[in-house]
Amino acid sequence: MRIPLRLMIDLARYMSRRKRAGEKYFPIVLMLEPLHACNLACVGCGRIVEYKDTIRDQMPLEEALGAADEADAPIVSICGGEPLMYKHIVPLTKTLIERKRHVQICTNALLLERFVKQVEPNTYLSFNIHIDGMKATHDRVVDRQGVFDTCVRMITLLKEKGYRVQTNTTVFRETTAEELEELIKMLTGLRVDGMLLTPGYHYQVLTNDIYLKKDEMPFKFMRVKQLAADHKIINTPIYLQYLAGERDLLCSPWTTVTRNPQGWKGPCYLITNGHYKTFKEMHAATDWEFYRTKQDIRCRDCKLHSGFEGTVALDFGKNLKDTWQMVRHYMS
Ligand code: SF4
């Protein structure tokens, strides 16, 4: 199984409850960014540039927990910045787990050893380790030698201790299909529970040209799609077909909402029109149909999972062939 049974059940119940209530625009994942500070300065990171003036801000614990209540999403992805630098990361994680939220900690792995001494493995907890390629590529992307080796060491440690471990890989222009295959096989050897691979997004605030253009994606993701048959790739098959250029998808940015120290970020995880004080204000200020149909110029080269996997989840059950592909993929 590629995702935990408990998560599948909770997601199915949650979505059916919201749909039965007649709701169309509800969140599935809360991206909780309690800080933007990081102990690395990755070349593809838009956050440390966009929030450079407020990089020292940290969200009070009550505010972070309140954000999870406000969104009421079953999955809380704690990211940033580097979330393990957040001063309340241990009580935040433990409280969210107690409240039966599926917590994913998105980390560069540098501070993991200290954290796992304080938080036990749990069905509701998983780690999402950032790893963008094999050693030379990853250390170049994060701009520090030795980080790849730390990731490998920490994945091994987490698996030994019984935690669920996923990886998150951004595919850049320079990443070849061969390197992706090598990485996927290496992570399989490390017994990771799931691998997510997505094309990088060209944040407006960045000036480098390392991101895949739309026409460069199909070849690389065709290979990922083939490898998904035998490796624990957790992108949905429908999203992989989209990345491989075999079908089109609309975006569902409301399924992944973002809260950071400045407020609720809208309209989506990637692009910013403003920060709003409450979740309701962010919803009221956003024309979801405009972004669903990718009319904004900033959507032009975007195929990020945060918008499109939500569409796949919402459409689950509508098409028999797609539904069968999804069931087969996740049960394997
Ligand atoms: S297409 Fe991308 S940039 Fe546009 S709304 Fe969706 S996730 Fe955001």
Side-chain angles (χ1 to χ4, degrees):
M1 254 190 172
R2 299 184 193 221
I3 59 173
L5 184 63
R6 182 72 262 162
L7 175 57
M8 274 200 219
I9 294 170
D10 288 353
L11 262 180
R13 281 191 183 144
Y14 168 82
M15 286 177 54
S16 111
R17 173 167 60 84
R18 304 287 300 237
K19 282 182 178 174
R20 274 201 318 273
E23 292 177 69
K24 193 171 170 195
Y25 306 114
F26 56 84
I28 297 172
V29 181
L30 165 63
M31 303 298 282
L32 184 56
E33 300 177 340
L35 81 175
H36 286 125
C38 192
N39 42 6
L40 290 174
C42 303
V43 291
C45 180
R47 290 300 196 260
I48 53 174
V49 179
E50 183 174 353
Y51 295 101
K52 65 179 184 307
D53 296 335
T54 51
I55 202 88
R56 289 176 187 279
D57 291 1
Q58 293 211 9
M59 211 184 267
L61 176 61
E62 286 315 313
E63 201 175 306
L65 290 168
D69 287 342
E70 249 188 290
D72 197 26
I75 302 173
V76 180
S77 184
I78 309 179
C79 39
E82 169 49 49
L84 299 183
M85 288 170 65
Y86 177 48
K87 59 186 171 196
H88 306 299
I89 187 65
V90 172
L92 174 64
T93 306
K94 286 185 171 174
T95 310
L96 289 173
I97 289 172
E98 274 164 29
R99 294 181 186 178
K100 300 212 179 315
R101 298 304 161 97
H102 292 271
V103 178
Q104 299 182 344
I105 299 194
C106 304
T107 175
N108 58 30
L110 296 181
L111 300 173
L112 261 172
E113 234 160 343
R114 190 177 64 189
F115 180 77
V116 295
K117 284 184 184 143
Q118 301 170 80
V119 181
E120 299 278 305
N122 191 291
T123 323
Y124 287 88
L125 174 66
S126 68
F127 292 96
N128 218 336
I129 312 281
H130 165 213
I131 187 159
D132 283 346
M134 296 301 290
K135 188 175 170 65
T137 300
H138 187 65
D139 285 353
R140 188 177 63 248
V141 168
V142 302
D143 202 20
R144 190 184 298 174
Q145 290 302 310
V147 176
F148 176 87
D149 291 339
T150 303
C151 287
V152 171
R153 200 162 50 82
M154 286 302 117
I155 291 171
T156 309
L157 176 102
L158 290 172
K159 287 302 299 172
E160 276 169 12
K161 288 186 176 292
Y163 293 93
R164 179 178 167 84
V165 185
Q166 298 180 176
T167 53
N168 189 356
T169 300
T170 302
V171 179
F172 294 102
R173 285 187 103 170
E174 284 183 27
T175 326
T176 62
E178 290 72 31
E179 181 173 3
L180 288 175
E181 181 166 350
E182 194 184 352
L183 177 68
I184 289 166
K185 288 182 173 167
M186 184 207 73
L187 293 172
T188 300
L190 292 174
R191 299 184 299 118
V192 301
D193 300 284
M195 300 168 228
L196 182 72
L197 295 102
T198 56
Y201 176 78
H202 192 158
Y203 287 89
Q204 287 167 295
V205 289
L206 299 178
T207 50
N208 41 22
D209 194 20
I210 55 176
Y211 304 93
L212 281 174
K213 297 281 183 292
K214 254 187 181 165
D215 56 353
E216 295 168 328
M217 287 179 204
F219 177 70
K220 294 181 187 185
F221 280 95
M222 189 68 83
R223 189 73 198 111
V224 175
K225 186 177 152 244
Q226 287 159 353
L227 288 161
D230 299 318
H231 299 82
K232 286 191 174 173
I233 290 168
I234 50 173
N235 305 46
T236 62
I238 315 301
Y239 176 55
L240 281 173
Q241 287 159 15
Y242 176 52
L243 295 177
E246 296 173 347
R247 64 193 294 164
D248 195 17
L249 283 177
L250 294 175
C251 183
S252 303
W254 61 87
T255 55
T256 301
V257 290
T258 307
R259 177 65 158 83
N260 65 35
Q262 279 62 52
W264 290 94
K265 179 181 180 303
C268 77
Y269 179 66
L270 295 171
I271 59 179
T272 313
N273 290 349
H275 291 88
Y276 306 88
K277 212 170 160 207
T278 66
F279 180 72
K280 272 192 182 158
E281 279 174 37
M282 185 270 288
H283 255 257
T286 310
D287 178 353
W288 293 124
E289 283 306 305
F290 181 73
Y291 292 101
R292 187 176 82 89
T293 46
K294 303 181 277 190
Q295 292 182 55
D296 192 296
I297 184 121
R298 295 167 293 180
C299 300
R300 198 180 43 200
D301 278 326
C302 172
K303 286 195 171 187
L304 201 81
H305 66 290
S306 59
F308 298 95
E309 287 287 29
T311 303
V312 178
L314 291 176
D315 285 349
F316 182 78
K318 284 188 185 163
N319 174 303
L320 203 62
K321 191 172 159 217
D322 288 350
T323 306
W324 174 235
Q325 284 188 70
M326 293 272 284
V327 171
R328 236 182 23 191
H329 179 75
Y330 283 112
M331 297 309 271
S332 65

